[in-house]
Amino acid sequence: MTRNLSVRAERIGADIEALAAITDPERPWTRRAFTPRFLEGRAYIEAAMRAAGLEPRLDAAGNLIGRRPGRRPGGGAIVVGSHSDTVPDGGRFDGIAGVVAGLEIARALAERDVALDHDLEVIDCLAEEVSIFGVSCVGSRASAGTLPADWLQRAAAGKTLAEGIAEVGGDPRRLAEAKRDDIRAFLELHIEQGPVLEAERIDLGIVTAICGITRVEIEVEGRANHAGTTPMDRRADALLSAARLVDAINHSARGRAAEAARRGYFAATVGEFRIEPNAANVVPSRARLLVDARAERRSEMEDFLAELERLLAGQNGCAETRATLRVVSDNPPTPSDPALLDEIEAAADIVGVSHRRMASGAGHDMAWFARVAPAAMVFAPCRGGRSHAPEEWAETDAIALGAETLLETVLRLDRRGSDAATS
Amino acid sequence: MTRNLSVRAERIGADIEALAAITDPERPWTRRAFTPRFLEGRAYIEAAMRAAGLEPRLDAAGNLIGRRPGRRPGGGAIVVGSHSDTVPDGGRFDGIAGVVAGLEIARALAERDVALDHDLEVIDCLAEEVSIFGVSCVGSRASAGTLPADWLQRAAAGKTLAEGIAEVGGDPRRLAEAKRDDIRAFLELHIEQGPVLEAERIDLGIVTAICGITRVEIEVEGRANHAGTTPMDRRADALLSAARLVDAINHSARGRAAEAARRGYFAATVGEFRIEPNAANVVPSRARLLVDARAERRSEMEDFLAELERLLAGQNGCAETRATLRVVSDNPPTPSDPALLDEIEAAADIVGVSHRRMASGAGHDMAWFARVAPAAMVFAPCRGGRSHAPEEWAETDAIALGAETLLETVLRLDRRGSDAATS
């Protein structure tokens, strides 16, 4: 049984609806970063910030930040937010729910006339989704001081990323100034983008970590032969070997996932798969697989990579073919701040929402803020786990429960001063 | 131990070398039908026909036919040949070996001054390979009266197939006249295009049948989900189901092939395989497979198709996905004429070559002539089974053994008159 909320679900719903209306009408719901429509969305958010008593500014990286000054500045800012850009055909909630939750927290504080010791900031991070420039988390990487300098010269649609940041209102020449060292805590609300909370009828996910993501390319070499004239026992069929690998990788991933309680969240997917020559009457000579593996714990990822090597060395039952692997990218997991997790959990209990700890299989702005500040995030359930699709949906009431939990967390952190919740 | 041959390997080698020189210099060995270079090759063959005492003509379908009149016309022609066109980057032997063997048989008969009762014809069938018009066996289909009329209007490179046939010297308006009803026997020598004869060190393959070829498209539908946020036990992974199908199809085909003695030659290949959306971070939602199955016996093909249906109905261990199949094309096997097979076998024993009966997994002109005449073919071994590739290779001596066997077969058929070797 939840308490009477300080946040108001109908205001959250109104913001989400208003932002949803700012979409490419041909492709709802699309509001990609670095487009005029994105700036329209930003104008709405800026106005909402002002109405909530926040003082908006743009940092050098193009992050939109609404500040509510604290009574005792110097203890660092409590930052709440996410991002307002979408993928093409994207959604009305991914990122947006977190920005709107931040706005509503500020409104609830203003409404109740609560004074905080710490500065409170609501942030809309620039370009979390992969934009036309082919990279993600532009704003939050800059906040962490880790935006690679050469990315600024990436060009698309007749401009560079630097020019894109400038158009948004940032100042790429002073990008280093966007790096934060003054954050007391970073809190992000996001829709789960997965099916777990809905299936388990749980109000709130408390995110223990952003999973590490490792991508491995596997190439299988066989021998092109005539499909009609080459007897079955004289083939080196690259597709057959690759198909058995897909099955073996899935088998391994299922086993690891089934032991999540002991080993942490794990998933592995073969998302890209191509064969050559891909002709009806030719035994496939080559196959290329891209494995996307996500692990809450680094040790589990390392164990999986070692198993992949063993699978390939064992030829996977196809002695005639040869498989090699190459790690394409390898990002370690980002654990949430343990003390912050405890604060959020206590807040959730006070609010009276049901909750569970869970890892995030997807990346988020939070992972970058975690490099420079105590950071954590919460998940609101969403329908069918669908995301990055027009049918993405989360109930306003569910988002309100998350916002209320973060509001309670903000109050708890503010009361504790600067002596707790540091990593 | 083979007898002294009547055919001469060095003349066979000289013809093959001369034709190989007539190639696109940028892509050896390429001499595609309906190109000027193809007509250059034809000019060489026509001159060689005249030199061998044959009277060349072009039939309405553009087949080049060199005739040696018999003493008692009316008993039908004994036709020996294959085709002189190649695939792109194709080979020096595929088809060509059979045309050259026909020429050498005519030369050997002329040299020994042997008079036959029957007409002997050496044929170079037009466009056996898939040409720019996207179809195969143009000449031999016309000889069987089965070239679909609408194919004549197929257009490519600024001309129709009808115009292409006319350029070669045929007369597409009189195409019906190309249909044969006067063939006593059709004999084709071809390279095996497979590895069996070389591996078993056998001189000659005696082809029992052209396998039936059935192509089946399988579509697997799953559900696109985020690869990071969708737990392993909540997925409908179309690639996983498709991969298991590939393994199961291969398992079935290997089992059938291993029992070839009882069930006839069998092979099945998944040569085309594509997934959607084919994105690194998305669980595959769809997969499309094209199965190419080849069976010497129709009953075996039917049994395989029934097994495919069962595999799909059983969901192949992936209850969350749904697979459907569609037969894209279905051509029954073409058995060789049994009496002709016996004649060839007897001839091979007289020549002293080692031989085995075997099915052809690939299609050939012979399959079309079999519709209007007793027909059979022989295979010469080739290196590594490679074909439709620049490295395609067959030893001239091996082709000579096949040509000698066909020469002996011609002599036997001629002596038997018209009372035997009919199907």
Side-chain angles (χ1 to χ4, degrees):
Chain A
M1 193 64 185
T2 52
R3 71 177 188 194
N4 286 335
L5 301 189
S6 302
V7 302
R8 300 251 304 272
E10 63 273 23
R11 287 194 299 226
I12 289 172
D15 278 345
I16 288 172
E17 211 168 304
L19 283 165
I22 306 170
T23 176
D24 178 345
E26 307 291 318
R27 302 185 75 178
W29 315 91
T30 304
R31 190 175 56 253
R32 301 191 76 188
F34 308 110
T35 64
R37 211 160 259 122
F38 175 74
L39 293 179
E40 270 185 70
R42 276 272 172 104
Y44 176 89
I45 295 165
E46 194 178 329
M49 284 175 168
R50 287 188 201 282
L54 300 167
E55 194 178 294
R57 69 179 177 97
L58 281 158
D59 73 6
N63 296 308
L64 174 61
I65 301 168
R67 187 164 149 279
R68 182 177 199 267
R71 286 180 304 196
R72 299 180 195 174
I78 300 173
V79 182
V80 183
S82 189
H83 61 93
S84 69
D85 64 319
T86 76
V87 297
D89 307 306
R92 288 165 284 182
F93 303 89
D94 174 355
I96 294 142
V99 174
V100 169
L103 290 171
E104 182 56 23
I105 287 166
R107 281 190 293 248
L109 289 170
E111 207 163 47
R112 296 199 297 165
D113 210 13
V114 177
L116 298 178
D117 284 349
H118 295 79
D119 287 355
L120 174 76
E121 289 182 2
V122 176
I123 189 165
D124 172 17
C125 299
L126 182 65
E128 192 264 354
E129 305 290 1
V130 173
S131 67
I132 49 169
F133 300 108
V135 296
S136 67
C137 296
V138 169
S140 51
R141 286 181 204 261
S143 297
T146 59
L147 185 78
D150 58 325
W151 284 14
L152 289 175
Q153 297 320 310
R154 283 176 163 256
K159 60 188 170 198
T160 62
L161 175 57
E163 287 160 353
I165 290 171
E167 274 180 24
V168 167
D171 184 350
R173 291 163 308 175
R174 297 188 298 110
L175 197 69
E177 296 174 21
K179 182 176 177 181
R180 303 294 295 262
D181 59 4
D182 61 338
I183 299 179
R184 165 77 178 80
F186 178 88
L187 298 169
E188 181 170 4
L189 176 146
H190 204 281
I191 59 166
E192 181 196 345
Q193 303 182 283
V196 175
L197 294 172
E198 182 189 53
E200 297 183 358
R201 297 170 183 277
I202 290 175
D203 296 327
L204 195 73
I206 299 177
V207 177
T208 52
I210 309 282
C211 284
I213 306 182
T214 302
R215 291 199 171 143
V216 177
E217 182 182 70
I218 299 178
E219 295 209 328
V220 183
E221 266 188 86
R223 202 170 52 240
N225 278 124
H226 192 297
T229 60
T230 312
M232 297 305 296
D233 58 354
R234 293 183 183 277
R235 299 176 170 208
D237 185 335
L239 171 59
L240 178 64
S241 294
R244 289 179 181 170
L245 274 174
V246 167
D247 199 14
I249 288 166
N250 183 268
H251 182 80
S252 164
R254 275 172 185 262
R256 293 169 195 279
E259 292 186 76
R262 188 165 63 82
R263 307 169 80 164
Y265 180 81
F266 188 87
T269 308
V270 181
E272 289 184 16
F273 190 99
R274 282 193 178 86
I275 65 166
E276 291 175 24
N278 207 31
N281 65 343
V282 183
V283 177
S285 59
R286 294 174 71 85
R288 179 190 168 277
L289 294 69
L290 190 67
V291 185
D292 173 298
R294 315 228 175 180
E296 185 174 358
R297 300 199 191 142
R298 182 65 193 171
S299 59
E300 192 64 14
M301 183 66 83
E302 282 166 2
D303 196 53
F304 174 71
L305 293 175
E307 185 179 1
L308 272 189
E309 296 271 13
R310 284 195 303 275
L311 277 173
L312 267 56
Q315 306 290 351
N316 205 40
C318 296
E320 295 292 313
T321 60
R322 207 170 63 88
T324 51
L325 73 75
R326 186 171 70 86
V327 173
V328 176
S329 62
D330 190 24
N331 294 305
T334 303
S336 296
D337 182 81
L340 266 188
L341 289 180
D342 291 342
E343 292 294 347
I344 294 171
E345 206 157 57
D349 286 335
I350 290 167
V351 174
V353 299
S354 59
H355 54 85
R356 63 162 281 181
R357 294 200 173 199
M358 62 194 299
S360 170
H364 292 290
D365 287 314
M366 185 279 262
W368 298 100
F369 281 95
R371 299 192 170 207
V372 290
M377 69 189 295
V378 295
F379 279 160
C382 62
R383 190 181 292 165
R386 298 302 303 270
S387 186
H388 285 199
E391 58 269 35
E392 180 183 274
W393 184 261
E395 296 297 335
T396 303
D397 285 342
I399 297 168
L401 291 180
E404 185 77 13
T405 303
L406 288 194
L407 169 59
E408 187 60 37
T409 307
V410 168
L411 294 172
R412 290 174 64 84
L413 291 172
D414 189 61
R415 282 197 296 271
R416 281 188 191 276
S418 56
D419 62 327
T422 53
S423 59
Chain B
M1 192 67 185
T2 52
R3 71 178 188 194
N4 286 336
L5 301 189
S6 300
V7 302
R8 301 250 305 272
E10 63 273 22
R11 288 194 300 225
I12 289 172
D15 278 346
I16 289 171
E17 210 169 306
L19 283 165
I22 305 170
T23 175
D24 178 344
E26 307 292 317
R27 301 184 75 178
W29 315 92
T30 303
R31 191 175 55 252
R32 301 191 75 187
F34 308 111
T35 63
R37 210 160 259 122
F38 175 73
L39 293 178
E40 269 185 69
R42 276 275 172 102
Y44 176 89
I45 295 165
E46 194 179 328
M49 283 175 168
R50 288 188 201 283
L54 300 167
E55 196 176 292
R57 69 180 176 96
L58 281 158
D59 72 6
N63 295 309
L64 173 61
I65 300 168
R67 186 165 150 279
R68 182 179 199 266
R71 285 179 305 194
R72 299 182 194 171
I78 301 172
V79 182
V80 184
S82 187
H83 62 93
S84 69
D85 65 318
T86 76
V87 295
D89 306 305
R92 288 164 284 183
F93 302 90
D94 174 355
I96 295 143
V99 173
V100 168
L103 289 171
E104 181 57 21
I105 287 167
R107 281 189 294 248
L109 289 170
E111 206 164 47
R112 294 201 296 164
D113 211 12
V114 178
L116 299 177
D117 285 348
H118 295 79
D119 286 355
L120 175 76
E121 289 182 2
V122 175
I123 190 166
D124 172 18
C125 299
L126 183 65
E128 193 265 353
E129 305 290 1
V130 173
S131 67
I132 49 170
F133 299 107
V135 295
S136 66
C137 295
V138 169
S140 50
R141 285 180 205 261
S143 297
T146 58
L147 186 77
D150 59 325
W151 283 15
L152 290 174
Q153 298 318 311
R154 284 176 163 256
K159 60 188 170 198
T160 62
L161 175 56
E163 287 161 352
I165 290 172
E167 273 180 24
V168 167
D171 185 350
R173 292 163 309 175
R174 299 187 298 110
L175 198 69
E177 295 174 22
K179 182 177 177 182
R180 302 295 296 263
D181 59 3
D182 62 336
I183 298 179
R184 167 76 178 81
F186 178 86
L187 298 169
E188 181 171 4
L189 175 146
H190 204 281
I191 60 166
E192 180 196 345
Q193 303 182 282
V196 175
L197 295 172
E198 182 190 51
E200 298 184 356
R201 297 171 184 276
I202 289 174
D203 296 328
L204 195 73
I206 298 176
V207 178
T208 52
I210 308 282
C211 284
I213 306 182
T214 302
R215 290 198 172 144
V216 177
E217 182 182 71
I218 299 178
E219 295 209 327
V220 183
E221 265 189 85
R223 202 170 53 241
N225 277 126
H226 192 296
T229 60
T230 312
M232 297 305 297
D233 58 354
R234 294 184 184 276
R235 298 175 171 209
D237 185 336
L239 171 59
L240 178 64
S241 295
R244 288 180 181 168
L245 274 174
V246 167
D247 200 14
I249 288 166
N250 182 268
H251 182 78
S252 164
R254 276 172 184 261
R256 293 168 195 280
E259 292 187 74
R262 188 164 63 82
R263 307 168 79 163
Y265 180 81
F266 188 87
T269 308
V270 181
E272 290 184 16
F273 190 100
R274 282 191 178 85
I275 65 167
E276 291 176 24
N278 207 31
N281 64 344
V282 183
V283 177
S285 59
R286 294 175 71 85
R288 180 190 167 276
L289 293 67
L290 190 66
V291 184
D292 172 300
R294 315 228 175 179
E296 184 174 358
R297 300 200 190 142
R298 182 65 193 171
S299 58
E300 192 65 15
M301 184 67 83
E302 282 166 1
D303 195 55
F304 174 71
L305 293 175
E307 186 179 0
L308 272 190
E309 296 271 14
R310 285 196 302 277
L311 277 175
L312 266 56
Q315 306 291 350
N316 204 40
C318 296
E320 295 293 313
T321 61
R322 206 172 63 88
T324 51
L325 72 76
R326 185 171 71 85
V327 173
V328 175
S329 63
D330 191 23
N331 294 304
T334 304
S336 296
D337 182 81
L340 266 188
L341 289 180
D342 291 342
E343 293 293 346
I344 294 170
E345 206 157 58
D349 286 335
I350 289 167
V351 174
V353 297
S354 58
H355 55 85
R356 64 163 280 179
R357 294 198 174 201
M358 63 194 298
S360 171
H364 293 289
D365 288 314
M366 187 279 263
W368 299 100
F369 281 95
R371 299 193 168 205
V372 290
M377 70 189 296
V378 294
F379 279 161
C382 64
R383 190 181 291 163
R386 299 301 303 271
S387 187
H388 285 201
E391 58 269 36
E392 179 183 274
W393 183 261
E395 296 296 335
T396 303
D397 285 342
I399 297 167
L401 291 179
E404 185 78 12
T405 302
L406 288 194
L407 169 59
E408 186 61 37
T409 306
V410 167
L411 294 172
R412 290 174 64 86
L413 291 172
D414 189 60
R415 281 197 298 271
R416 279 188 193 275
S418 56
D419 61 328
T422 54
S423 60

